């Protein structure tokens, strides 16, 4: 961030966030939230955050199946929100499929 510029706050979309500390990389699944960039650095306030190392992929896939099944229980704006959330989970699942685990 350049000196004299105001901090920036932005909504973050669900996805995989890579945190680098001391040369070590850790991948975290974030299901939305806010990010603030200021002179102090980047701060992420996540709605839900799970370490990729701790993720149960089978349970994650089961959650997606359950979400797909429950779509028929929603209508109107509620259905739109359910579809959007399902899309976020599927997007993360695609990223997981293309991410090589160490």
């Amino acid at each position: 961030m350049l000196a004299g510029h105001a901090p920036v706050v932005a909504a973050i979309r669900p996805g995989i966030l890579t945190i680098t500390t001391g040369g070590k990389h850790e991948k975290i699944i974030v299901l939305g939230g806010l990010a603030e960039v200021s002179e102090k650095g980047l701060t992420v306030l996540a709605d839900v955050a799970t370490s990729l190392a701790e993720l149960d992929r089978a349970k994650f896939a089961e959650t997606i199946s359950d979400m797909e099944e429950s779509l028929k229980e929603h209508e109107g704006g509620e259905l739109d929100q359910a579809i959007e959330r399902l899309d976020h989970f599927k997007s993360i699942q695609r990223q997981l499929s293309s991410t090589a685990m160490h």
Side-chain angles (χ1 to χ4, degrees):
M1 172 151 197
L2 299 174
H5 284 70
V8 175
V9 176
I12 54 174
R13 293 189 325 224
I16 299 173
L17 177 68
T18 302
I19 299 172
T20 304
T21 314
K24 181 184 171 199
H25 305 292
E26 182 179 3
K27 293 188 181 297
I28 306 287
I29 293 175
V30 177
L31 296 178
L34 297 173
E36 177 190 28
V37 180
S38 69
E39 292 177 1
K40 295 177 186 175
L42 172 67
T43 301
V44 174
L45 302 170
D47 295 336
V48 177
T50 304
S51 170
L52 209 56
E54 297 173 6
L55 178 70
D56 181 336
R57 290 182 185 221
K59 190 170 183 179
F60 193 78
E62 187 178 310
T63 298
I64 290 174
S65 293
D66 291 346
M67 291 170 78
E68 288 173 328
E69 187 64 29
S70 71
L71 282 181
K72 59 185 163 220
E73 299 169 12
H74 301 288
E75 53 186 50
E78 200 176 85
L79 177 59
D80 293 341
Q81 288 178 338
I83 290 171
E84 183 178 6
R85 187 151 176 83
L86 175 60
D87 286 346
H88 291 160
F89 272 69
K90 285 185 172 183
S91 171
I92 290 169
Q93 190 176 47
R94 283 191 298 276
Q95 291 177 54
L96 289 172
S97 298
S98 65
T99 301
M101 294 296 297
H102 299 286

